[in-house]
Amino acid sequence: DAGVIQSPRHEVTEMGQEVTLRCKPISGHDYLFWYRQTMMRGLELLIYFNNNVPIDDSGMPEDRFSAKMPNASFSTLKIQPSEPRDSAVYFCASSRGGGRTEAFFGQGTRLTVV
Amino acid sequence: DQQVKQNSPSLSVQEGRISILNCDYTNSMFDYFLWYKKYPAEGPTFLISISSIKDKNEDGRFTVFLNKSAKHLSLHIVPSQPGDSAVYFCAAPNNAGNMLTFGGGTRLMVKP
């Protein structure tokens, strides 16, 4: 398996624009997680899915953020409208069994909002 | 409320010496802990874990120690190698066991 695949690797956008980050989890993994890494807050969980269903989105900072998982092999994280404070590295991860099993991370998307 | 804390943002060690990375937690219900390693421009990768029924788990050069009474765990790397230079995160699953809370990370620099 190629591992968790995220796209794009880098995204530079202007404030107010819509941004969509994409993730392909490892086949057979039933948990998918979206994390954000910043200098100030470290690695924070935004939302996670189990069997394509959103379970906990309490980490989503604002209504400007939304995430979907239309099928077992694809998920998106959308920010609309984007703001400079959204600049961060966004990671997608997948695992077979939630927090007690090894999570496999993608390489991340570095988002810069100017 | 940070339930998992890594109070040392960085650590510098000479090659061949021991590296000790520390992690404290506040939730006494945590019963499983994981360490992840992250290189620049890559996602974190799993390194080693420990269950609260143990106080030590060893995997090659990496050993994790757990002190439940102190709510403290540490990762020992012996001997340290330049390739170990990375950011190390400790993490713990929530009570339901389905999501991880990460510490802020410690950047380890191993000097040749």
Side-chain angles (χ1 to χ4, degrees), chain A residues 9 33 37 48 99-100 102-103 106, chain B residues 31-32 36 41 43 46 97-98:
Chain A
R9 290 293 311 276
F33 308 87
Q37 184 183 22
Y48 80 93
R100 294 181 187 277
E102 179 182 352
Chain B
D31 60 1
Y32 193 79
Y36 282 77
F46 171 76
N98 46 19

Side-chain angles (χ1 to χ4, degrees), chain B residues 25 30-35 48-52 66 73 91-93:
Chain B
Y25 60 97
F30 285 160
D31 60 1
Y32 193 79
F33 302 89
L34 306 91
W35 284 92
I48 191 170
S49 62
I50 188 167
S51 166
S52 62
L66 176 61
L73 63 155

Side-chain angles (χ1 to χ4, degrees), chain B:
Chain B
D1 175 30
Q2 268 196 310
Q3 297 190 68
V4 180
K5 295 182 182 180
Q6 294 175 257
N7 292 318
S8 298
S10 64
L11 174 68
S12 183
V13 171
Q14 204 67 34
E15 181 179 6
R17 307 295 288 269
I18 184 171
S19 295
I20 300 177
L21 298 102
N22 295 304
C23 179
D24 297 295
Y25 60 97
T26 57
N27 189 339
S28 59
M29 298 297 289
F30 285 160
D31 60 1
Y32 193 79
F33 302 89
L34 306 91
W35 284 92
Y36 282 77
K37 179 168 72 173
K38 183 185 180 304
Y39 291 118
E42 295 184 11
T45 55
F46 171 76
L47 185 59
I48 191 170
S49 62
I50 188 167
S51 166
S52 62
I53 62 174
K54 295 183 175 181
D55 54 16
K56 175 183 174 181
N57 189 26
E58 190 173 351
D59 183 2
R61 297 185 297 113
F62 302 89
T63 302
V64 56
F65 295 91
L66 176 61
N67 183 334
K68 292 183 287 293
S69 62
K71 295 191 184 70
H72 176 83
L73 63 155
S74 60
L75 175 68
H76 293 211
I77 308 173
V78 182
S80 302
Q81 300 173 354
D84 297 329
S85 297
V87 178
Y88 290 78
F89 294 95
C90 66
N94 66 344
N95 294 345
N98 46 19
M99 51 185 265
L100 285 175
T101 297
F102 282 86
T106 297
R107 182 177 300 278
L108 173 66
M109 293 162 284
V110 180
K111 298 179 180 178

Side-chain angles (χ1 to χ4, degrees), chain A residues 68-89:
Chain A
K68 294 181 179 179
M69 192 165 186
N71 56 62
S73 59
F74 184 66
S75 177
T76 59
L77 178 68
K78 185 177 293 186
I79 309 172
Q80 165 64 19
S82 59
E83 297 182 3
R85 60 193 166 120
D86 301 330
S87 297
V89 181

